[in-house]
Amino acid sequence: MIAIDPTIDWTISVALALIFVASAVMKLIDLNEFHGAVENYRIVPEQISGLVAGAVPIAEIAGAIGLMLPATHRSAAMLLSMLLIVFTASIAINLLRGRRNIDCGCFGPALRQQLSWWLPARNAAMIAMLAIVMLPATERPLAPLDIATIAFAAATLAVLYSAANYLVANAPHLRALEIADA
Amino acid sequence: MHDALVISHVVLWIAVLALSAVVLALIRQIGVLHERIAPMGALTMDKGPKVGDRSPVFELTDLAHQPLTLGAPRDDLRSSLLMFVSPTCPVCKKLLPIVKSVVAAESQWLDLIFTSDGEPSEQEGFIRKYQLGQYSFVLSSELGMTYRVSKLPYAVLIDHEGIVRAKGLVNTREHLESIVAAKQMGIGSIQEYLKNLHPHDSMEPAAAIANGEKGNQHHG
């Protein structure tokens, strides 16, 4: 069995925890709109879409906190992977239905991302990172420099993730400009 | 030597983090620029009816199979508020009760007409759910194309002479009231309305989205 260095384990965990907390907070800020986004996916019956819209951010926060605690580290990674698999399936189903114009709802209304195949690819990368977290870590004690590396690298990953999301959100605008110019 | 490496390492991480933040800020700004230049505005507005222009006349049939003439002068001196909505637009759902209450307050001179395109069955579910049965609801992609509607919810106010009095993207009660107030106050755009409300504020992001309207005013 492959074991990973704890610095890598913690870097990924802190970055993903930041991302999931941010995503949950944005959804909770405008839960009404996120409810609309859930309805647009047309995956769950309308009667329970409100319940699902409330449950998703709670699960995200629970997963993020669990990832930070050694006792629940691996089970939280499992929970977040499940969540991502469900999101990815919902996005893929709607892409296959040809319904690209709906809002992803990924970061609540703060970031209007239309559905595209980039989103399943992004989620697959996050699932791969969670799979690394689920591997056993070696017993090396963390030195002060490791703590610094974890803090800087996790913050960098989270910022780059956010930048990539903005790029994807901008893509339809750019396409609209190109069509108008043609 | 060891200390030097540690310091170098930490300094490099700080630089990486700072550069990432700069990239993020740049990409966000590109998004804002797109919002300002992309909407129907300068690129396509020459083809859409401008504020102050006569609206094209549409002979339509609503979902209740009632004939509806839009854009023609009306003998009863009533104006029409055309609301472009869609069942897949979360902001529309939030705005619907506001639209109903604003129009109810102006019901002595204003008719509300909802318009969308797509599957009638889908729209009928939408109408039932949000209790829009009392208003005309037409399915017409021609309307949206004529008015160059690229973002929802979008409103167009046509007065009793068939003149377009105001139009624009409406995300809030304030936006909608600016459209309805346009007829009495002679203001044709959200920007003008907001400028009168807060003369010293810089342009709000929501208003910037409808920036095409501003250009429209100056050209029209």
Side-chain angles (χ1 to χ4, degrees):
Chain A
M1 189 89 185
I2 321 159
I4 51 158
D5 190 270
T7 304
I8 295 173
D9 187 358
W10 279 108
T11 300
I12 295 176
S13 300
V14 173
L16 289 177
L18 285 174
I19 290 167
F20 275 104
V21 166
S23 153
V25 168
M26 307 257 217
K27 281 168 188 146
L28 290 172
I29 285 173
D30 202 339
L31 204 52
N32 256 337
E33 183 131 351
F34 181 60
H35 184 185
V38 172
E39 276 185 358
N40 280 345
Y41 274 103
R42 299 215 192 123
I43 302 280
V44 295
E46 252 177 59
Q47 294 83 348
I48 63 160
S49 63
L51 208 65
V52 173
V56 166
I58 292 171
E60 286 179 323
I61 289 179
I65 294 172
L67 215 46
M68 290 296 97
L69 305 173
T72 51
H73 193 61
R74 288 197 179 81
S75 42
M78 193 81 87
L79 167 74
L80 291 174
S81 314
M82 299 289 192
L83 216 52
L84 282 170
I85 290 168
V86 172
F87 294 164
T88 311
S90 312
I91 292 168
I93 289 170
N94 277 287
L95 282 170
L96 294 172
R97 283 173 180 165
R99 303 180 72 240
R100 284 173 170 266
N101 275 335
I102 60 174
D103 184 22
C104 147
C106 303
F107 280 82
L111 191 61
R112 292 190 176 282
Q113 280 180 311
Q114 285 185 10
L115 297 191
S116 71
W117 285 109
W118 189 86
L119 299 172
R122 176 195 72 183
N123 290 357
M126 289 171 81
I127 292 168
M129 287 165 83
L130 286 165
I132 295 174
V133 170
M134 282 184 245
L135 292 173
T138 54
E139 292 290 319
R140 186 170 75 82
L142 293 179
L145 186 59
D146 289 318
I147 309 282
T149 305
I150 290 167
F152 286 126
T156 305
L157 275 179
V159 171
L160 286 178
Y161 175 84
S162 168
N165 270 322
Y166 276 107
L167 271 182
V168 172
N170 285 343
H173 294 308
L174 190 63
R175 219 172 303 130
L177 275 186
E178 282 166 353
I179 291 168
D181 270 345
Chain B
M1 184 61 195
H2 179 252
D3 281 351
L5 276 178
V6 169
I7 290 168
S8 157
H9 185 95
V10 169
V11 168
L12 279 174
W13 267 122
I14 292 171
V16 168
L17 194 54
L19 280 172
S20 306
V22 170
V23 170
L24 175 65
L26 281 175
I27 292 171
R28 284 195 64 164
Q29 285 187 6
I30 292 171
V32 173
L33 286 178
H34 275 301
E35 295 272 277
R36 292 205 175 192
I37 56 180
M40 56 274 151
L43 297 163
T44 47
M45 70 185 178
D46 289 337
K47 292 176 188 157
K50 299 178 190 108
V51 172
D53 278 5
R54 191 162 288 281
S55 165
V57 176
F58 296 92
E59 298 286 347
L60 302 161
T61 309
D62 70 11
L63 282 179
H65 307 291
Q66 299 295 315
L68 179 76
T69 306
L70 203 71
R74 295 177 60 165
D75 299 332
D76 57 6
L77 302 182
R78 294 177 67 81
S79 300
S80 310
L81 179 69
L82 200 52
M83 278 299 307
F84 293 85
V85 292
S86 149
T88 61
C89 146
V91 185
C92 299
K93 292 172 188 173
K94 210 160 59 180
L95 198 71
L96 286 172
I98 298 172
V99 174
K100 288 200 259 181
S101 87
V102 168
V103 170
E106 310 291 337
S107 59
Q108 66 277 22
W109 62 276
L110 189 63
D111 287 334
L112 176 59
I113 297 135
F114 286 102
T115 174
S116 187
D117 56 6
E119 286 298 306
S121 59
E122 201 177 305
Q123 309 286 355
E124 271 153 18
F126 181 59
I127 292 169
R128 248 195 323 277
K129 187 162 175 206
Y130 292 94
Q131 290 153 25
L132 309 178
Q134 63 187 109
Y135 307 102
S136 297
F137 198 111
V138 290
L139 286 187
S140 161
S141 45
E142 194 195 343
L143 265 181
M145 265 144 63
T146 306
Y147 280 99
R148 304 277 154 181
V149 175
S150 64
K151 288 196 177 187
L152 297 176
Y154 194 91
V156 175
L157 182 73
I158 302 170
D159 75 1
H160 64 275
E161 295 170 47
I163 309 283
V164 178
R165 282 295 166 204
K167 56 176 194 165
L169 187 69
V170 282
N171 280 338
T172 63
R173 177 179 281 270
E174 193 179 44
H175 292 166
L176 185 70
E177 282 175 347
S178 81
I179 299 266
V180 172
K183 193 166 170 285
Q184 290 101 325
M185 292 159 63
I187 295 172
S189 77
I190 293 160
Q191 283 75 28
E192 259 185 80
Y193 180 78
L194 289 178
K195 212 157 50 184
N196 293 352
L197 275 185
H198 325 278
H200 303 295
D201 287 3
S202 58
M203 193 187 284
E204 291 175 30
I209 293 172
N211 203 21
E213 292 307 299
K214 194 178 178 189
N216 216 350
Q217 278 283 301
H218 293 181
H219 294 279

